[in-house]
Amino acid sequence: MTKKRQETHSFEREDEIIGRDDDKAALLKLVLESQSEENVYIIPIVGFGGLGKTALVLLVYNDEMVKSHFELTMFVCVSNVFDVKLIVANIIKSVTNQAPDQNLEMDQLQKQLRDKIDGKKYLLILDDIWNEDPEQWSRLKKLLMGGTNGSRIIVTTRSLKVAKITNKCESHVLKLKGLSDDDAWSLFKKIAFEQRYVDSTNSTFVEVGKQILKRCGGVPLVIKTIASTLSLKETENEWHSFKEYELAKISQIEGDILHTLEL
Ligand SMILES: *[C@@H]1O[C@H](CO)[C@@H](O)[C@H](O)[C@H]1NC(C)=O
Ligand SMILES: *[C@@H]1O[C@H](CO)[C@@H](O)[C@H](O)[C@H]1NC(C)=O
């Protein structure tokens, strides 16, 4: 099975993110303050698809305090293929804004990389890692350890196993959870009533909306998907029918909700 997703990029509008203030503060602390024995400290963020791991990382990555704290910041989308040579090339590209010559051998690429990052205090984001092979990880890690004290690598992943490979200390893994009920409702309300077909203060729609929201597990991607579907429905009947039929189908397959939404 291939695990496809949209390639991420290092820009996110802050006003589109709801309910992640505490997580942002926790991550900022790890990035800016926490002490570590190693010069380059690795921070894994784990959580299933749709929780907004990348969005959270980008909030921190684009924070002015973070930008001025590091000499160098780099963002690389890894996704399903963990090819060390490709990742190294993409890191270089993130620094220079230019893809390295495709004909370069690993040895030359590695020299270029070291040339860019060694001796610098850097922040590197490796977004969406699936690789569960410790050997592969350690091949990459070796190339990145030349940063000076205070350097950070943030890894996002859906798998706790991957997280543990990148940082053996489980207490240092940031586990992302679903949104609180209030935040989930704010997000839902913002999108579901966006088109103004229905009135966001009408108790009929508010009630059905809250019942639907209960099944979304606080997962932002699920909430956004369902709320935007609802935003195009204009009558009470349509909202009810969504809840009774379409949503009922989704909820039966718990744990696989994203896959179902994709379908
Ligand atoms: C990095 O710096 C911190 C304090 O600034 C220190 O406690 C830590 O031991 C240093 N780590 C290394 C590997 O030198
Ligand atoms: C709320 O919406 C329902 C269904 O469209 C409608 O019958 C009802 O009059 C509305 N209530 C108010 C207070 O506008």
Side-chain angles (χ1 to χ4, degrees), residues 188-198 205 212 223-235 238-239 242:
F188 178 89
K189 205 163 100 176
K190 188 172 152 215
I191 299 170
F193 300 105
E194 201 175 24
Q195 310 291 340
R196 301 183 193 286
Y197 288 150
V198 302
F205 290 101
I212 291 172
I223 297 170
K224 284 184 199 166
T225 308
I226 286 178
S228 56
T229 305
L230 285 169
S231 75
L232 302 172
K233 298 187 187 295
E234 300 176 35
T235 64
E238 283 179 293
W239 278 52
F242 179 84

Side-chain angles (χ1 to χ4, degrees), residues 93-160:
K93 190 171 152 193
S94 179
V95 180
T96 61
N97 291 318
Q98 205 173 19
D101 185 343
Q102 291 201 338
N103 299 316
L104 289 184
E105 298 293 329
M106 185 60 203
D107 191 49
Q108 293 163 299
L109 278 177
Q110 165 210 303
K111 281 196 187 109
Q112 271 197 19
L113 177 69
R114 292 214 142 126
D115 196 42
K116 302 287 179 227
I117 67 172
D118 280 10
K120 296 226 169 81
K121 183 155 98 176
Y122 74 76
L123 170 68
L124 169 64
I125 316 292
L126 294 172
D127 190 36
D128 199 30
I129 292 193
W130 292 80
N131 165 61
E132 295 190 337
D133 175 2
E135 287 294 313
Q136 289 288 327
W137 171 253
S138 100
R139 273 187 65 212
L140 177 66
K141 187 180 164 185
K142 252 184 238 155
L143 304 176
L144 299 171
M145 289 296 108
T148 54
N149 194 3
S151 293
R152 299 282 189 265
I153 300 175
I154 303 178
V155 165
T156 74
T157 179
R158 296 185 190 184
S159 139
L160 192 57

Side-chain angles (χ1 to χ4, degrees), residues 26-203:
L27 184 55
L28 272 178
K29 201 161 178 224
L30 288 171
V31 167
L32 299 174
E33 290 172 26
S34 64
Q35 305 286 333
S36 62
E37 279 134 44
E38 282 180 297
N39 279 339
V40 179
Y41 175 52
I42 299 167
I43 306 165
I45 300 180
V46 66
F48 52 88
L51 275 179
K53 298 180 292 299
T54 305
L56 171 66
V57 168
L58 287 176
L59 271 184
V60 167
Y61 185 80
N62 290 320
D63 187 284
E64 289 305 324
M65 221 158 43
V66 169
K67 285 209 154 105
S68 57
H69 182 80
F70 293 97
E71 283 172 75
L72 193 61
T73 56
M74 298 159 286
F75 183 97
V76 171
C77 178
V78 178
S79 238
N80 55 328
V81 187
F82 196 88
D83 174 345
V84 174
K85 191 176 170 189
L86 184 66
I87 296 169
V88 167
N90 282 332
I91 297 174
I92 295 170
K93 190 171 152 193
S94 179
V95 180
T96 61
N97 291 318
Q98 205 173 19
D101 185 343
Q102 291 201 338
N103 299 316
L104 289 184
E105 298 293 329
M106 185 60 203
D107 191 49
Q108 293 163 299
L109 278 177
Q110 165 210 303
K111 281 196 187 109
Q112 271 197 19
L113 177 69
R114 292 214 142 126
D115 196 42
K116 302 287 179 227
I117 67 172
D118 280 10
K120 296 226 169 81
K121 183 155 98 176
Y122 74 76
L123 170 68
L124 169 64
I125 316 292
L126 294 172
D127 190 36
D128 199 30
I129 292 193
W130 292 80
N131 165 61
E132 295 190 337
D133 175 2
E135 287 294 313
Q136 289 288 327
W137 171 253
S138 100
R139 273 187 65 212
L140 177 66
K141 187 180 164 185
K142 252 184 238 155
L143 304 176
L144 299 171
M145 289 296 108
T148 54
N149 194 3
S151 293
R152 299 282 189 265
I153 300 175
I154 303 178
V155 165
T156 74
T157 179
R158 296 185 190 184
S159 139
L160 192 57
K161 195 169 163 190
V162 171
K164 283 183 189 156
I165 288 170
T166 62
N167 189 331
K168 293 192 177 50
C169 188
E170 208 184 319
S171 65
H172 292 156
V173 176
L174 196 100
K175 290 178 189 149
L176 209 56
K177 300 194 177 70
L179 299 181
S180 70
D181 289 349
D182 285 348
D183 290 331
W185 176 245
S186 301
L187 179 61
F188 178 89
K189 205 163 100 176
K190 188 172 152 215
I191 299 170
F193 300 105
E194 201 175 24
Q195 310 291 340
R196 301 183 193 286
Y197 288 150
V198 302
D199 177 3
S200 67
T201 59
N202 184 315
S203 60

